[in-house]
Amino acid sequence: MTERQIKVRYQEFASIDELNAEDRELAQAAIEGMRGSYAPYSHFNVGAAVRMSNGQIVRGSNQENAAFPSGLCAERTAMFAAGAKYPDKDMCSIALAGGIYGRITDDPATPCGACRQVMAQYQSKAGKPMGVIMVGGKKVWKFERVDDILPLIFDSI
Ligand code: THU
């Protein structure tokens, strides 16, 4: 038996002001994206923004529905919109922010497992690392690649 370890690296910033200009712009777009959220059930408003290889930013927000499984998270809303709008471009990075009644959480909101799997697939499609930026009011986390938030990615078919 060999015991192995998986290490995850990420950067923590005190605010989006510490990010580089590109990431700050994306984080800001995610925060602004919260305004598009439709969350009459959870009241947890989430915004996401994807940066494409052509420099464009595509925003998304969570959209809830009375038939609960029919709703969708902000990250997947943004990624699917980005994939549909720019099918020939790569997704370079994604940022997200969220909070109850639109008040951003102090600690960063973190993506659900299904969204991480979708990020993994677009990263794989791009063939290069996709950065993930999680924005909170008092902390910001940056992961260089989806592997760091979804170790042992399912990528076998
Ligand atoms: N939500 C997201 O939009 N992104 C996540 O990564 C986690 C959760 C949404 C789904 C639902 O509308 C609300 O937040 C509460 O779970």
Side-chain angles (χ1 to χ4, degrees):
M1 193 275 269
T2 310
E3 189 165 303
R4 300 195 187 280
Q5 234 186 354
I6 295 173
K7 278 196 186 167
V8 171
R9 298 170 67 94
Y10 63 101
Q11 297 171 313
E12 184 172 289
F13 303 87
S15 81
I16 65 169
D17 299 333
E18 289 184 0
L19 295 169
N20 67 41
E22 271 202 348
D23 289 346
R24 189 165 54 247
E25 186 189 21
L26 197 66
Q28 194 61 51
I31 294 168
E32 285 164 17
M34 288 169 68
R35 287 205 289 266
S37 163
Y38 175 58
Y41 304 103
S42 71
H43 305 292
F44 191 72
N45 303 115
V46 186
V50 178
R51 179 176 292 284
M52 306 302 295
S53 50
N54 61 358
Q56 293 296 310
I57 289 177
V58 179
R59 291 179 194 187
S61 50
N62 58 328
Q63 303 294 318
E64 296 184 353
N65 191 277
F68 289 130
S70 303
L72 198 62
C73 292
E75 300 92 311
R76 272 176 289 165
T77 303
M79 286 186 282
F80 292 153
K85 191 165 184 192
Y86 300 112
D88 304 325
K89 303 295 176 214
D90 295 330
M91 295 186 202
C92 303
S93 47
I94 183 168
L96 67 134
I100 294 275
Y101 290 111
R103 190 192 172 279
I104 192 166
T105 51
D106 288 346
D107 280 350
T110 54
C112 79
C115 288
R116 293 177 198 213
Q117 182 65 35
V118 172
M119 288 174 198
Q121 181 123 2
Y122 283 117
Q123 175 179 266
S124 168
K125 179 173 180 256
K128 57 181 190 214
M130 177 174 168
V132 184
I133 300 163
M134 304 177 192
V135 183
K138 298 209 165 136
K139 273 180 205 164
V140 178
W141 293 332
K142 179 173 180 185
F143 297 78
E144 293 293 335
R145 46 181 53 78
V146 179
D147 313 58
D148 291 332
I149 57 167
L150 188 64
L152 309 177
I153 285 173
F154 172 69
D155 195 16
S156 314
I157 56 166

